[in-house]
Amino acid sequence: MTSIADIVAEHAHREGPLLPILHDVQKAFGYVSEDAMRDIAQALNLTRAEVYGVVSFYHDFRKEAEARPILKLCRAEACKARGVDALVPIAENQSRVKVEAVYCLGMCSVGPAALVGDQVIARLDATRLSSLLEAM
Ligand code: FES
């Protein structure tokens, strides 16, 4: 099992190691805990407030564990133009999957788009979204 110390050691030699460390901590543990922020701050000789500020600034970082799978549904303009607003109620009228808004996944021409883990899903419609939610 990976530890915070392992992740810090992997990136400590880099210039600007904080963001890669936070990304890897979240990937390993699903969120960046208060304890992790404290340990990272200590290891990088930063204040806890500096680490907390970065975690709070970027919406992708979680400060608490989320037990449900997460679907990130693009709500930016191109996906809006391609009909994402009609999909939002389908996504939000269930409780098994946590649905979050994101603003552009770089798949504008094939939206509406969503992200599950590292996988981008394009050309969503009501049927595909329902199937996706059931499969998660
Ligand atoms: S606007 Fe949705 S992927 Fe770009």
Side-chain angles (χ1 to χ4, degrees):
M1 170 126 189
T2 303
S3 71
I4 300 294
D6 292 339
I7 293 170
V8 169
E10 191 179 322
H11 295 287
H13 67 283
R14 300 174 74 161
E15 194 168 318
L18 181 55
L19 280 175
I21 289 170
L22 293 173
H23 280 290
D24 281 1
V25 167
Q26 178 148 304
K27 191 171 186 178
F29 302 102
Y31 69 111
V32 183
S33 69
E34 294 281 339
D35 288 348
M37 286 188 248
R38 181 200 61 223
D39 294 348
I40 293 165
Q42 189 172 17
L44 298 180
N45 199 25
L46 300 170
T47 65
R48 273 198 264 179
E50 288 172 308
V51 176
Y52 186 87
V54 171
V55 171
S56 298
F57 181 79
Y58 292 104
H59 299 283
D60 257 8
F61 292 128
R62 306 181 182 292
K63 294 189 277 299
E64 296 173 357
E66 173 58 55
R68 296 176 293 173
I70 297 168
L71 173 90
K72 295 182 178 187
L73 189 58
C74 180
R75 307 290 301 277
E77 290 306 318
C79 285
K80 278 187 181 287
R82 298 180 69 85
V84 74
D85 286 346
L87 303 179
V88 172
I90 297 167
E92 293 182 345
N93 285 339
Q94 53 79 44
S95 58
R96 210 175 50 76
V97 174
K98 179 171 176 61
V99 178
E100 295 180 346
V102 290
Y103 294 91
C104 198
L105 295 166
M107 303 292 283
C108 310
S109 65
V110 289
L115 183 67
V116 177
D118 292 336
Q119 184 182 8
V120 178
I121 297 107
R123 301 185 198 282
L124 278 176
D125 58 20
T127 306
R128 290 194 71 205
L129 177 60
S130 295
S131 297
L132 178 64
L133 290 167
E134 284 175 27
M136 292 178 69

